[in-house]
Amino acid sequence: MSRAIGMIEFKTTPTGITAADRMVKTSEVEIVEAQTVCPGKYIAIITGDLSAVKAAVEAAVSTYEDQCIDSFVLGNPHESIFPAIYGTTKVEEVSALGILETYDAASIIEAADQAAKTAIVDLIELRIAKGMCGKSYMLLTGEVSAVEASIDRAKELVAAKGMYLDSSVIAHPDKRMIDTIL
């Protein structure tokens, strides 16, 4: 049994809630997060066995395809994804800071997974469309070269979907800046 994470992002709250209900009725999955986000979109993130997550996401997307903005299923997500989503990551030191912003909610999780699997970095936070008018961002840290490689890979993935907005890497950010992030 392999663990997976899946997500749907819908244009409207009524369709999003109905689709999320369909997901949990289709397969044995757990809801990580399901809520309305700016600007009135609805997201649902689920986890469970890979086949269950695939079936649940496919059922929701195929039933409400005309309202779906984006969706994904990740098998074997990087272990740092969940703490970054929940905001519970513990980071002791920030050598370099990588920031990547997307136009949507779903692609930021895929980008973070790829970034974390590309090089030795720590995900600090995934801000999923909350207070950002539907946009999302991630923060990560590590050695400068690792952060650059991770951000470059994440940028490639998101740009291929047309969802890339902006990114940067700060080598040795000032402690006063880090204190506002951590």
Side-chain angles (χ1 to χ4, degrees):
M1 241 167 58
S2 95
R3 295 296 283 175
I5 183 173
M7 181 177 177
I8 57 171
E9 181 177 2
F10 282 92
K11 295 176 187 175
T12 66
T13 299
T15 300
I17 291 171
T18 306
D21 181 67
R22 182 172 206 79
M23 288 196 312
V24 297
K25 287 178 177 172
T26 298
S27 299
E28 190 62 37
V29 294
E30 298 172 38
I31 295 176
V32 173
E33 187 173 318
Q35 65 182 339
T36 301
V37 295
C38 295
K41 299 186 301 183
Y42 193 86
I43 63 169
I45 303 170
I46 59 170
T47 188
D49 179 70
L50 180 58
S51 61
V53 171
K54 278 184 180 178
V57 170
E58 286 173 10
V61 171
S62 65
T63 305
Y64 306 101
E65 190 172 353
D66 61 326
Q67 292 289 316
C68 186
I69 296 170
D70 200 0
S71 67
F72 70 82
V73 173
L74 290 175
N76 194 27
H78 194 273
E79 69 270 1
S80 63
I81 291 288
F82 290 104
I85 289 171
Y86 294 131
T88 59
T89 303
K90 302 283 188 236
V91 176
E92 299 298 319
E93 182 182 332
V94 175
S95 178
L97 180 65
I99 310 112
L100 185 129
E101 187 172 346
T102 64
Y103 284 109
D104 71 337
S107 64
I108 200 66
I109 297 175
E110 292 177 291
D113 183 61
Q114 279 299 303
K117 290 176 177 175
T118 296
I120 299 172
V121 295
D122 294 313
L123 294 174
I124 298 171
E125 179 183 5
L126 293 179
R127 176 71 57 94
I128 305 171
K130 294 175 187 154
M132 297 199 46
C133 293
K135 299 185 299 178
S136 299
Y137 71 85
M138 71 173 170
L139 299 173
L140 58 85
T141 188
E143 295 301 316
V144 175
S145 60
V147 170
E148 287 173 341
S150 292
I151 291 294
D152 286 346
R153 177 64 188 115
K155 180 180 173 180
E156 278 177 27
L157 178 82
V158 175
K161 294 176 77 174
M163 292 294 141
Y164 174 75
L165 182 60
D166 193 14
S167 62
S168 62
V169 174
I170 304 170
H172 312 292
D174 190 277
K175 182 178 176 355
R176 293 169 290 189
M177 189 68 231
I178 294 306
D179 289 345
T180 67
I181 293 168
L182 298 182

